[in-house]
Amino acid sequence: MTERTSADFWFDPICPWAWMSSRWVRQVEQVRDVDVTFHVMSLAYLNDGREGLPDFYKDQLPKWWGPVRVVTAAEEQHGQEVVLPLYEALGRRIHNEKRGTDDLPSVIAEALEEVGLPASLLDAATSTDYDEALKKSHHAGMDQVGMDVGTPVISVGGVAFFGPVVSPAPKGEDAGKLWDGVLLVAGTDGFFELKRTRTRDPIFD
């Protein structure tokens, strides 16, 4: 039997590009011998006090604390195994259903109900009680790649990187080929960046 590889994936539920990449790595798990563990990072924490942010981001940042705080509280109270299903319940509503961040309390409440978690976890959205645990998870991922990138961050086999940013998410063997290529490039000593201008928005399907 082939030994399976463990990978870690850091996400913020509000990020559409992280959601796209999460759909990709879920496909990768089906075609490569890899198991992915999901963890929270926080775009609100990452950008707190940062100069030069667009007004849109400044207006949105207070809202962005809610989902990551709730996921963190859920993990602290119910274990790591609830992180992925809760993320997926949130992600489908925020991104696939295009509900965005306008009514996050309702989105979070519905997601909690879907995965069988107590409605009381919604209180964590506006509480700082779990912020230290959230920041610890955030730094576990971001400290590997630096604070000038966002989400997703993936770590596998001692190599960590931001991205990939891809739309739509590759499926089947195409997902596996991208995984192979990303690991090859990211594992090259001294390699830092490949980038080109985005010509399409996230395509959710």
Side-chain angles (χ1 to χ4, degrees):
M1 293 180 64
T2 303
E3 184 177 351
R4 296 185 67 83
T5 298
S6 296
D8 295 280
F9 184 107
W10 280 266
F11 67 90
D12 187 314
I14 61 89
C15 179
W17 294 104
W19 179 243
M20 294 299 304
S21 295
S22 75
R23 302 306 84 200
W24 163 62
V25 297
R26 294 289 280 155
Q27 287 284 311
V28 170
E29 288 181 302
Q30 299 178 36
V31 297
R32 295 293 185 269
D33 293 318
V34 58
D35 297 307
V36 182
T37 302
F38 287 78
H39 313 273
V40 292
M41 61 81 69
S42 172
L43 290 173
Y45 176 48
L46 180 68
N47 289 289
D48 187 31
R50 182 169 289 184
E51 297 294 329
L53 287 176
D55 289 340
F56 168 78
Y57 279 87
K58 292 178 182 178
D59 293 340
Q60 289 289 313
L61 284 181
K63 296 181 181 180
W64 292 357
W65 282 102
V68 287
R69 281 172 166 165
V70 171
V71 177
T72 302
E75 180 177 10
E76 290 289 297
Q77 293 184 27
H78 300 278
Q80 211 287 326
E81 62 272 15
V82 306
V83 172
L84 177 58
L86 182 53
Y87 176 35
E88 294 194 322
L90 289 165
R92 285 195 304 273
R93 287 167 171 82
I94 293 170
H95 305 298
N96 292 70
E97 297 176 13
K98 304 184 188 306
R99 293 171 65 179
T101 59
D102 289 340
D103 188 14
L104 281 175
S106 294
V107 166
I108 295 169
E110 292 172 20
L112 290 170
E113 182 177 10
E114 178 184 322
V115 299
L117 289 168
S120 59
L121 283 168
L122 181 58
D123 295 341
T126 54
S127 169
T128 61
D129 289 351
Y130 295 92
D131 282 6
E132 287 308 309
L134 169 57
K135 292 174 183 179
K136 182 178 179 180
S137 177
H138 175 98
H139 282 287
M142 298 305 297
D143 287 356
Q144 298 184 63
V145 294
M147 299 300 167
D148 59 344
V149 299
T151 180
V153 167
I154 296 173
S155 178
V156 55
V159 175
F161 50 89
F162 161 72
V165 175
V166 60
S167 177
K171 295 181 173 61
E173 184 57 23
D174 287 340
K177 289 178 180 178
L178 178 58
W179 177 258
D180 298 338
V182 167
L183 293 190
L184 177 64
V185 170
T188 300
D189 182 50
F191 176 83
F192 296 106
E193 187 171 6
L194 276 174
K195 191 174 178 68
R196 56 186 173 190
T197 301
R198 298 174 194 171
T199 59
R200 64 181 69 161
D201 293 327
I203 299 172
F204 307 119
D205 56 11

